[in-house]
Amino acid sequence: MTAQDLYLDLLANVLTRATFEDNDEILGLRNYWTPPSWKRRAGAVTAKVVNRFGIELVLKRPYDAEARESGRDWPARAETMVGLRRLHNARECIESVLADGVPGDLIETGVWRGGMAIYMRGVLAAHAVADRTVWCADSFQGLPAPSPTEYPADKELHLEQFEYLSVGVEIVRRNFARYGLLDNQVQFLVGWFKDTLPTAPIKQLSILRLDGDLYESTSHALQNLYPKLTPGGYCIIDDYGNIDACKKAVEDYRRANGIADEICDVDGYCVYWRRT
C-alpha cells in the first residue's frame, strides 16, 4: 500500500468511527427510523434530565462491521453515516476524473457533519491537487418540511423532525479543521437549496454528489448543478435505493433531459453514473 492508500483508508475509517468500532446509541437523540421502543422512550426522558448535569446516557450495542461498511447504521459520534463503501466510491470517482483530466470542482449537497466532504478534500490533498474546490451545500439547520402540494412525493417525509440531522456550519468548519483540511479549497453554501444553488458561483463540476433525501432537494440540486457537470464527470446519488422520493426525482430529471447513462450501484442505497 502507498502512503496515499494508508492515509485515505485511515481517514475513511476514522470519519466513520469504524477504527474504534464505536456503536453507542446516545439516548435522547432521534437517530432511528422505526418507532421507538419503551426502553428508548424511557431512556430519552431520563437523558433529558441527566443531560443538565453534563451526563450522557448511551445504549451499548455490538459493533456491526457490515452495517458500517454499507452505511446502514447511524453512528452517534462519526462525522459521516454514509459507510465505507460510499467513501471508497467517492475516492474512485475523484481519482478517475483526476487521471482523465476532467475539469471541475467537487460538490456535496447535504453534508450533515461534513464527513464525506472532508474525505473528498482529503483525496485532493493526498494527490496534491490545489486547483479544485470542494463545495459544501446545506441549510445547516436540518431538512425542510415537506411541501406536499408542490412535491407530492415528499408528503410522508417529515425529516425536519430529526434534530440529529441539524448541524450548524461552524461545527462543520471545526470538523474540517480537526483533520487539517479547512482551507480556501473548501467553500460553504449556507441556506436552502432553492435559494443558494441557482446563484452559486460554480463554473464547472467534475463530481456532483447529492444527499438531500427529499424529492424537492434532489430536484433543485439536479436542475441547478447537473448542467455544470463536465462530460466525464460523475453524478452520485446517496439515497436512490432507499428513499422513493429521491429516486423519483432522479428518474424524472433523467427522463426529462434524455439522460441514458448507465446507473451503477454502490451498496444497495447509493448509485452513480458517469456523464457521457
Side-chain angles (χ1 to χ4, degrees):
M1 295 180 70
T2 66
Q4 286 177 346
D5 293 330
L6 291 169
Y7 167 68
L8 291 173
D9 282 355
L10 179 60
L11 182 59
N13 279 286
V14 174
L15 286 167
T16 60
R17 295 302 186 272
T19 291
F20 312 110
E21 297 191 347
D22 178 14
N23 204 34
D24 290 348
E25 178 183 327
I26 300 176
L27 296 176
L29 291 179
R30 177 76 182 278
N31 59 347
Y32 42 82
W33 295 104
T34 56
S37 65
W38 69 267
K39 288 184 179 180
R40 280 198 174 105
R41 292 197 299 269
V45 172
T46 307
K48 289 180 180 179
V49 175
V50 300
N51 282 350
R52 302 170 187 170
F53 304 97
I55 299 173
E56 180 181 89
L57 289 185
V58 301
L59 179 65
K60 305 298 291 186
R61 302 179 300 185
Y63 178 70
D64 187 336
E66 172 55 30
R68 194 62 49 89
E69 182 80 15
S70 57
R72 281 165 169 74
D73 60 359
W74 281 19
R77 300 181 178 85
E79 283 82 23
T80 181
M81 64 176 82
V82 301
L84 291 166
R85 290 183 199 166
R86 278 174 252 179
L87 289 174
H88 295 158
N89 165 253
R91 176 185 175 182
E92 290 172 356
C93 292
I94 295 168
E95 290 180 336
S96 173
V97 298
L98 295 179
D100 295 341
V102 179
D105 292 339
L106 297 69
I107 190 170
E108 184 177 37
T109 60
V111 304
W112 193 44
R113 294 174 179 167
M116 173 58 79
I118 291 170
Y119 188 71
M120 293 162 71
R121 178 66 187 93
V123 175
L124 295 183
H127 289 274
V129 175
D131 60 351
R132 298 183 192 238
T133 296
V134 174
W135 295 87
C136 304
D138 202 296
S139 70
F140 298 99
Q141 54 181 304
L143 278 85
S147 302
T149 302
E150 190 172 1
Y151 304 101
D154 289 338
K155 64 180 179 179
E156 303 297 332
L157 291 175
H158 287 280
L159 300 179
E160 78 282 1
Q161 298 176 3
F162 287 71
E163 296 179 5
Y164 187 65
L165 298 176
S166 178
V167 181
V169 65
E170 290 307 317
I171 293 175
V172 178
R173 287 180 186 274
R174 187 163 67 246
N175 288 341
F176 268 91
R178 289 167 56 215
Y179 288 92
L181 294 170
L182 182 64
D183 58 15
N184 59 7
Q185 283 182 251
V186 179
Q187 297 294 325
F188 295 86
L189 297 171
V190 182
W192 303 118
F193 294 164
K194 64 181 180 180
D195 300 323
T196 61
L197 298 185
T199 58
I202 300 170
K203 295 181 179 179
Q204 283 183 311
L205 291 168
S206 59
I207 301 293
L208 170 59
R209 190 175 195 284
L210 277 58
D211 193 2
D213 298 356
L214 302 174
Y215 185 104
E216 177 183 359
S217 303
T218 304
S219 181
H220 282 306
L222 286 170
Q223 290 172 14
N224 291 289
L225 298 176
Y226 195 83
K228 299 181 180 182
L229 183 64
T230 308
Y234 289 90
C235 181
I236 306 169
I237 312 293
D238 190 81
D239 291 300
Y240 182 90
N242 66 309
I243 298 181
D244 291 340
C246 171
K247 182 177 182 178
K248 179 172 172 50
V250 173
E251 291 178 339
D252 287 351
Y253 183 83
R254 281 171 58 95
R255 187 182 307 111
N257 291 275
I259 300 170
D261 298 323
E262 180 185 2
I263 294 177
C264 304
D265 179 68
V266 176
D267 58 6
Y269 285 2
C270 178
V271 301
Y272 70 100
W273 70 85
R274 191 171 199 182
R275 184 173 188 180
T276 57

